[in-house]
Amino acid sequence: MKKFILLILSLGIFSCGSTKKLDNSSIKLSYLDDFVLPQNLEVNGSLVGGLSGIDYHQGDYYLVCDQPSNPRIYKAKIPFTNRSIDTVIITEAIYLNKEEAFYKEHTPDLEGIRFDAESKSLILSSEGSIQNAKDPSVFNISTEGNFISTYEIPEYFKAFGEQKPRNNGVFEGIARSSDKTGYWVAMELPLEKDGPKPKIYPTNSPVRITKFNKQSMLPVSQFAYKLDRISKLPINWFAVNGVTEILEYAEDKFLVLERAYSAGYGSNGNTVRIYDVDASKASNTLEIENLKKADYQEAEKRLIFDFKSIKNFLNQEIIDNIEGMSFGPELPNGKKSLILVSDDNFSSFSKQITQFILLELEID
């Protein structure tokens, strides 16, 4: 296992358009290690793959699988040896009961997961299936997989919403709020009327990041975050860039994971970056129906980690489709750990892997 430590200092490149730079960031991320799960690994009769979200709570990791035909959560142990990943042990598969009325109305295309310590339940985000008129959703289940309740979402996120959400582009990342009153949920792509999908040239492509209150189960605030452009000209027809995960590390301060993919590059098609984001001066866009026609202040962002910097240090020298990100346990030196996981799409597009990447997080 490689034990190189690569310190990635704050970077100020790859921004585009009118996105404002965040000048007072004091975050540093360092690469420590990665671990690749064996292909064709099965647990409780299901193939382990499609891991699109990860969360950590008191020694256990929860991993969400985005296979709508068989929605499930995996429980895992990921012990560290000093500053490296010793192994990844999948200990349990938790299945959702698709016969529940809620899942018949809301296709469970699961993307994000957080453990709620207060209720000891799991909070999930789902993209639904816009093309099949199934709304996206934010809901919670028990740790046994039983449906508990759902959050109310604004009309413009619904499948028949006037703003026209994009299929496979709605609720993706989810973060606990730093004040512990609720959860932030990020879209992957803009609503159609808010702006275009990112292109190879700069575009104004804002996604909405919405805070939901745990007690009322209602949305209470929202800000707009501008996506970067596509970084590689696709050789084939397909390219995408969107938000895949978020974490709030202080009030209105976030780590935002953007993942771009350009077809035609095989295992080199992904561009993955982490941004430090300040939403303290951003407008509350919750009541704005159409961002394209509105005057608002978006969140400020700054690139702090580009995964291409560590490609040669990775076990298979592949930056895969990284979609999940979680704060992990404290490291031996007292600093925070950050652990990420890739969604291998069950290798439906090309050869892909399920990789776990361990970073050291330092916040001054």
Side-chain angles (χ1 to χ4, degrees):
M1 218 179 273
K2 298 184 178 83
K3 293 183 172 61
F4 298 101
I5 298 177
L6 181 63
L7 181 63
I8 308 299
L9 297 175
S10 299
L11 304 175
I13 55 177
F14 299 113
S15 60
C16 65
S18 60
T19 302
K20 292 192 174 184
K21 311 300 189 304
L22 185 61
D23 295 326
N24 60 349
S25 171
S26 56
I27 286 186
K28 295 178 182 177
L29 289 170
S30 310
Y31 169 69
L32 298 181
D33 196 18
D34 80 308
F35 185 93
V36 178
L37 275 186
Q39 288 187 312
N40 302 317
L41 174 66
E42 291 191 8
V43 173
N44 293 357
S46 69
L47 182 66
V48 178
L51 303 182
S52 58
I54 184 172
D55 198 30
Y56 172 79
H57 177 71
Q58 293 184 350
D60 291 313
Y61 290 85
Y62 294 88
L63 300 152
V64 66
C65 171
D66 68 354
Q67 188 176 40
S69 62
N70 188 17
R72 56 195 182 274
I73 313 296
Y74 290 106
K75 200 171 178 179
K77 297 286 187 182
I78 308 178
F80 298 163
T81 299
N82 294 322
R83 293 153 61 86
S84 63
I85 299 173
D86 183 63
T87 189
V88 175
I89 305 169
I90 308 295
T91 60
E92 182 182 354
I94 303 167
Y95 294 92
L96 277 61
N97 180 9
K98 284 195 68 180
E99 296 306 309
E100 288 269 6
F102 178 79
Y103 301 131
K104 293 180 179 180
E105 298 175 5
H106 304 79
T107 298
D109 184 359
L110 308 178
E111 296 294 343
I113 184 169
R114 296 296 169 212
F115 183 93
D116 186 84
E118 185 179 12
S119 63
K120 294 181 171 52
S121 65
L122 299 171
I123 312 299
L124 304 173
S125 62
S126 168
E127 290 192 304
S129 180
I130 302 303
Q131 63 187 7
N132 293 311
K134 302 294 186 181
D135 292 339
S137 55
V138 181
F139 61 100
N140 65 317
I141 64 171
S142 70
T143 53
E144 291 77 38
N146 299 314
F147 175 81
I148 298 175
S149 60
T150 185
Y151 288 75
E152 184 174 323
I153 67 173
E155 288 293 320
Y156 44 68
F157 288 139
K158 296 183 178 180
F160 289 109
E162 187 66 24
Q163 298 307 94
K164 298 183 178 179
R166 289 180 162 93
N167 193 62
N168 291 327
V170 200
F171 297 154
E172 186 82 15
I174 185 169
R176 295 181 199 85
S177 65
S178 62
D179 62 11
K180 300 181 180 180
T181 63
Y183 292 89
W184 292 93
V185 179
M187 297 179 65
E188 182 177 1
L189 297 171
L191 295 168
E192 285 191 19
K193 289 191 176 180
D194 282 347
K197 293 188 291 185
K199 311 292 185 185
I200 193 68
Y201 51 84
T203 58
N204 186 21
S205 300
V207 296
R208 298 174 186 247
I209 299 179
T210 309
K211 184 179 182 181
F212 292 86
N213 181 271
K214 285 201 301 184
Q215 299 303 318
S216 69
M217 310 288 282
L218 296 172
V220 291
S221 63
Q222 184 185 91
F223 66 90
Y225 170 89
K226 184 177 176 181
L227 295 170
D228 274 14
R229 64 179 178 85
I230 301 295
S231 54
K232 295 179 181 179
L233 181 68
I235 297 173
N236 296 329
W237 63 272
F238 181 74
V240 67
N241 180 46
V243 170
T244 60
E245 192 59 279
I246 56 172
L247 292 170
E248 188 177 24
Y249 66 86
E251 185 178 3
D252 294 324
K253 302 290 180 66
F254 299 83
L255 298 179
V256 175
L257 184 68
E258 282 191 48
R259 182 264 296 119
Y261 174 76
S262 296
Y265 293 90
S267 60
N268 296 308
N270 292 297
T271 300
V272 186
R273 297 165 178 157
I274 298 176
Y275 292 85
D276 187 13
V277 175
D278 186 347
S280 61
K281 297 179 182 178
S283 305
N284 185 352
T285 57
L286 187 62
E287 302 300 327
I288 299 177
E289 290 293 323
N290 188 329
L291 294 181
K292 193 181 293 184
K293 295 182 178 180
D295 183 18
Y296 64 92
Q297 177 66 54
E298 64 199 17
E300 300 176 356
K301 62 187 284 190
R302 183 170 71 149
L303 177 64
I304 56 170
F305 196 93
D306 191 328
F307 282 80
K308 75 176 182 180
S309 315
I310 64 170
K311 181 179 178 181
N312 293 336
F313 295 89
L314 300 173
N315 280 301
Q316 296 192 21
E317 298 189 2
I318 294 173
I319 302 165
D320 215 295
N321 177 35
I322 301 172
E323 291 199 0
M325 178 171 66
S326 174
F327 297 120
E330 188 176 277
L331 295 167
N333 61 2
K335 295 181 181 178
K336 296 179 181 293
S337 65
L338 194 69
I339 191 158
L340 301 100
V341 67
S342 68
D343 174 1
D344 70 346
N345 292 307
F346 295 99
S347 295
S348 56
F349 298 111
S350 61
K351 179 190 174 183
Q352 291 186 262
I353 58 176
T354 298
Q355 67 183 160
F356 293 80
I357 296 178
L358 176 63
L359 305 180
E360 179 183 276
L361 172 64
E362 186 175 358
I363 305 174
D364 294 332

